[in-house]
Amino acid sequence: MPELPEVEVTRRSFAGQIAGARILSANLGKPLRWPLSAPPATLIGHVVAAVRRRGKYLLLDIDDGRLLLIHLGMSGSLRFFQTCPPAGKHDHFDLVTSRGTLRLHDPRRFGAVVLTPGEQSDAAQRLLGRLGVEPLGDGFDLVSFQAGLRQRNAPVKQVLLAGELVVGVGNIYASEALFQAGIRPTRKACRIGSESSARLHAAIRSVLASAVELGGSTLKDFSSASGEAGHFQLSACVYGREGLPCVRCGRPVRKMLQGQRSTYFCAACQR
DNA sequence: CTATGGACCTGAATGC
DNA sequence: TGCATTCAGGTCCATA
């Protein structure tokens, strides 16, 4: 489900409520992707100082310097409840605080909750250390992005998904950004001209920013921590539109597989 | 080093 | 109706 916009929308929907809240208990259900590196009981009595985001990870700063990392995987979503209903079959983590309960719902359990000693610890850096720059931040400058592309021989879509150049661009938004930039997803990154790569740079920013504005994509079951659905998918130009007319030229949108994942594009508009 | 494919897990949609 | 197959928003890991 969640790419950067969904994670950011989720963060914004509960960060203000949980910041300053005292942890009353932390309960795990079925195992998630990585084990907790410390017993969750060690969180009790501590305060959640802030909620940040890095790529597709949510970072909960604990008042003693520890960092609780949450990743939503493919099917995860978070809700923040004032009064928390009983846990359902796919609710696998509850952080009960003085201001409400943060609950992770994740049917496929590709998500993760990892308690680390701090952002610079090995445990945290193992997950965060190789992430590329934030696409909506100042670090995403055109010149370094173009230089990064020139170094990669892989198809540009795979380079975006790898997240080593720039984070947060997942399967939906990679297709959308490449469509907006007029670049064929199979084109080798190092063979993209500087005008095209400048368009891609701008497209990544604008696609992600507009998805955040629209509250993310609601394909299957995404909603924010307050339960709001997103609306980006209504404005998707190519993703999930195989066979439907390209919004620009009217020819049918095509679907192909790249690295076992669906890619949507317009063969006429993208070269 | 890179590129590829499998692994993790469940549920919904599709096909026969 | 029932059962098997395919697909889904992510990422790590083993293998060539």
Short mmCIF file of all heavy atoms in Angstrom, two decimals, chain A residues 199-223:
data_model
loop_
_atom_site.label_atom_id
_atom_site.label_comp_id
_atom_site.label_asym_id
_atom_site.label_seq_id
_atom_site.Cartn_x
_atom_site.Cartn_y
_atom_site.Cartn_z
N ARG A 199 13.22 17.01 -16.31
CA ARG A 199 11.75 16.83 -16.23
C ARG A 199 11.39 15.77 -15.20
O ARG A 199 10.41 15.90 -14.48
CB ARG A 199 11.19 16.44 -17.61
CG ARG A 199 11.14 17.55 -18.63
CD ARG A 199 10.13 17.24 -19.73
NE ARG A 199 10.36 15.93 -20.34
CZ ARG A 199 11.21 15.69 -21.33
NH1 ARG A 199 11.90 16.70 -21.85
NH2 ARG A 199 11.36 14.47 -21.80
N LEU A 200 12.21 14.71 -15.15
CA LEU A 200 11.94 13.64 -14.19
C LEU A 200 12.09 14.14 -12.75
O LEU A 200 11.27 13.83 -11.88
CB LEU A 200 12.88 12.45 -14.44
CG LEU A 200 12.70 11.25 -13.51
CD1 LEU A 200 11.27 10.72 -13.56
CD2 LEU A 200 13.69 10.14 -13.86
N HIS A 201 13.12 14.91 -12.53
CA HIS A 201 13.35 15.51 -11.21
C HIS A 201 12.12 16.31 -10.77
O HIS A 201 11.59 16.15 -9.67
CB HIS A 201 14.60 16.39 -11.29
CG HIS A 201 14.93 17.09 -10.01
ND1 HIS A 201 14.58 18.40 -9.76
CD2 HIS A 201 15.58 16.67 -8.91
CE1 HIS A 201 15.01 18.74 -8.55
NE2 HIS A 201 15.63 17.71 -8.01
N ALA A 202 11.65 17.15 -11.66
CA ALA A 202 10.47 17.97 -11.35
C ALA A 202 9.23 17.11 -11.19
O ALA A 202 8.39 17.36 -10.31
CB ALA A 202 10.25 19.00 -12.46
N ALA A 203 9.13 16.06 -12.02
CA ALA A 203 7.93 15.21 -11.98
C ALA A 203 7.85 14.43 -10.67
O ALA A 203 6.76 14.29 -10.10
CB ALA A 203 7.94 14.23 -13.16
N ILE A 204 8.98 13.95 -10.19
CA ILE A 204 8.99 13.21 -8.92
C ILE A 204 8.46 14.11 -7.81
O ILE A 204 7.59 13.74 -7.03
CB ILE A 204 10.41 12.70 -8.60
CG1 ILE A 204 10.78 11.57 -9.55
CG2 ILE A 204 10.51 12.24 -7.14
CD1 ILE A 204 12.25 11.17 -9.50
N ARG A 205 9.00 15.30 -7.77
CA ARG A 205 8.54 16.26 -6.75
C ARG A 205 7.06 16.54 -6.87
O ARG A 205 6.32 16.51 -5.89
CB ARG A 205 9.27 17.59 -6.92
CG ARG A 205 10.60 17.66 -6.26
CD ARG A 205 11.00 19.14 -6.16
NE ARG A 205 11.38 19.46 -4.82
CZ ARG A 205 12.65 19.70 -4.47
NH1 ARG A 205 13.62 19.64 -5.36
NH2 ARG A 205 12.94 19.98 -3.24
N SER A 206 6.61 16.82 -8.09
CA SER A 206 5.22 17.27 -8.22
C SER A 206 4.25 16.13 -8.01
O SER A 206 3.19 16.32 -7.39
CB SER A 206 5.00 18.00 -9.55
OG SER A 206 4.76 17.09 -10.57
N VAL A 207 4.61 14.93 -8.48
CA VAL A 207 3.70 13.80 -8.29
C VAL A 207 3.56 13.46 -6.81
O VAL A 207 2.46 13.27 -6.30
CB VAL A 207 4.22 12.56 -9.08
CG1 VAL A 207 3.56 11.28 -8.59
CG2 VAL A 207 3.96 12.74 -10.57
N LEU A 208 4.70 13.43 -6.10
CA LEU A 208 4.64 13.08 -4.67
C LEU A 208 3.94 14.17 -3.87
O LEU A 208 3.12 13.89 -3.00
CB LEU A 208 6.04 12.83 -4.12
CG LEU A 208 6.76 11.60 -4.69
CD1 LEU A 208 8.15 11.48 -4.10
CD2 LEU A 208 5.97 10.33 -4.45
N ALA A 209 4.26 15.43 -4.19
CA ALA A 209 3.65 16.53 -3.44
C ALA A 209 2.15 16.55 -3.67
O ALA A 209 1.37 16.75 -2.73
CB ALA A 209 4.28 17.86 -3.86
N SER A 210 1.73 16.30 -4.90
CA SER A 210 0.29 16.37 -5.13
C SER A 210 -0.41 15.17 -4.48
O SER A 210 -1.53 15.30 -4.00
CB SER A 210 -0.02 16.51 -6.63
OG SER A 210 -0.34 15.29 -7.20
N ALA A 211 0.27 14.02 -4.44
CA ALA A 211 -0.34 12.87 -3.76
C ALA A 211 -0.50 13.14 -2.26
O ALA A 211 -1.50 12.75 -1.66
CB ALA A 211 0.49 11.61 -4.00
N VAL A 212 0.48 13.80 -1.67
CA VAL A 212 0.35 14.14 -0.25
C VAL A 212 -0.84 15.08 -0.06
O VAL A 212 -1.67 14.90 0.83
CB VAL A 212 1.64 14.81 0.28
CG1 VAL A 212 1.41 15.37 1.68
CG2 VAL A 212 2.79 13.81 0.30
N GLU A 213 -0.95 16.08 -0.95
CA GLU A 213 -2.06 17.03 -0.89
C GLU A 213 -3.41 16.32 -0.95
O GLU A 213 -4.35 16.68 -0.27
CB GLU A 213 -1.99 18.00 -2.08
CG GLU A 213 -0.89 19.01 -1.98
CD GLU A 213 -1.09 19.93 -0.80
OE1 GLU A 213 -2.16 20.55 -0.73
OE2 GLU A 213 -0.20 19.99 0.07
N LEU A 214 -3.47 15.30 -1.83
CA LEU A 214 -4.74 14.61 -2.04
C LEU A 214 -5.01 13.54 -0.99
O LEU A 214 -6.00 12.83 -1.06
CB LEU A 214 -4.76 13.98 -3.44
CG LEU A 214 -4.83 14.99 -4.59
CD1 LEU A 214 -4.55 14.33 -5.93
CD2 LEU A 214 -6.20 15.66 -4.62
N GLY A 215 -4.08 13.39 -0.05
CA GLY A 215 -4.31 12.42 1.01
C GLY A 215 -3.88 11.02 0.67
O GLY A 215 -4.32 10.06 1.27
N GLY A 216 -2.99 10.88 -0.34
CA GLY A 216 -2.47 9.57 -0.70
C GLY A 216 -3.39 8.83 -1.65
O GLY A 216 -4.43 9.34 -2.08
N SER A 217 -2.98 7.60 -2.00
CA SER A 217 -3.77 6.76 -2.89
C SER A 217 -4.53 5.74 -2.06
O SER A 217 -3.99 5.15 -1.15
CB SER A 217 -2.86 5.99 -3.85
OG SER A 217 -2.19 6.88 -4.71
N THR A 218 -5.78 5.53 -2.41
CA THR A 218 -6.56 4.50 -1.72
C THR A 218 -6.85 3.40 -2.72
O THR A 218 -7.87 3.42 -3.39
CB THR A 218 -7.87 5.08 -1.19
OG1 THR A 218 -7.56 6.16 -0.32
CG2 THR A 218 -8.63 4.04 -0.40
N LEU A 219 -5.91 2.46 -2.87
CA LEU A 219 -6.13 1.42 -3.88
C LEU A 219 -6.95 0.30 -3.28
O LEU A 219 -8.00 -0.03 -3.75
CB LEU A 219 -4.80 0.88 -4.39
CG LEU A 219 -4.12 1.81 -5.37
CD1 LEU A 219 -2.93 1.13 -6.00
CD2 LEU A 219 -5.08 2.26 -6.45
N LYS A 220 -6.45 -0.29 -2.24
CA LYS A 220 -7.20 -1.37 -1.60
C LYS A 220 -7.80 -0.84 -0.30
O LYS A 220 -8.99 -0.73 -0.16
CB LYS A 220 -6.27 -2.54 -1.27
CG LYS A 220 -5.81 -3.29 -2.49
CD LYS A 220 -6.79 -4.41 -2.82
CE LYS A 220 -6.21 -5.41 -3.79
NZ LYS A 220 -5.78 -4.85 -5.03
N ASP A 221 -6.92 -0.48 0.60
CA ASP A 221 -7.43 -0.22 1.94
C ASP A 221 -6.72 0.90 2.66
O ASP A 221 -6.82 1.00 3.86
CB ASP A 221 -7.30 -1.50 2.77
CG ASP A 221 -5.89 -2.07 2.71
OD1 ASP A 221 -5.02 -1.40 2.14
OD2 ASP A 221 -5.68 -3.17 3.24
N PHE A 222 -5.98 1.74 1.92
CA PHE A 222 -5.27 2.79 2.64
C PHE A 222 -6.21 3.81 3.24
O PHE A 222 -7.16 4.25 2.61
CB PHE A 222 -4.27 3.52 1.74
CG PHE A 222 -3.66 4.71 2.44
CD1 PHE A 222 -2.70 4.52 3.42
CD2 PHE A 222 -4.08 6.00 2.16
CE1 PHE A 222 -2.17 5.59 4.11
CE2 PHE A 222 -3.55 7.09 2.84
CZ PHE A 222 -2.58 6.88 3.82
N SER A 223 -5.92 4.20 4.46
CA SER A 223 -6.54 5.40 5.02
C SER A 223 -5.56 5.97 6.03
O SER A 223 -4.64 5.29 6.45
CB SER A 223 -7.88 5.07 5.69
OG SER A 223 -7.65 4.32 6.86
#
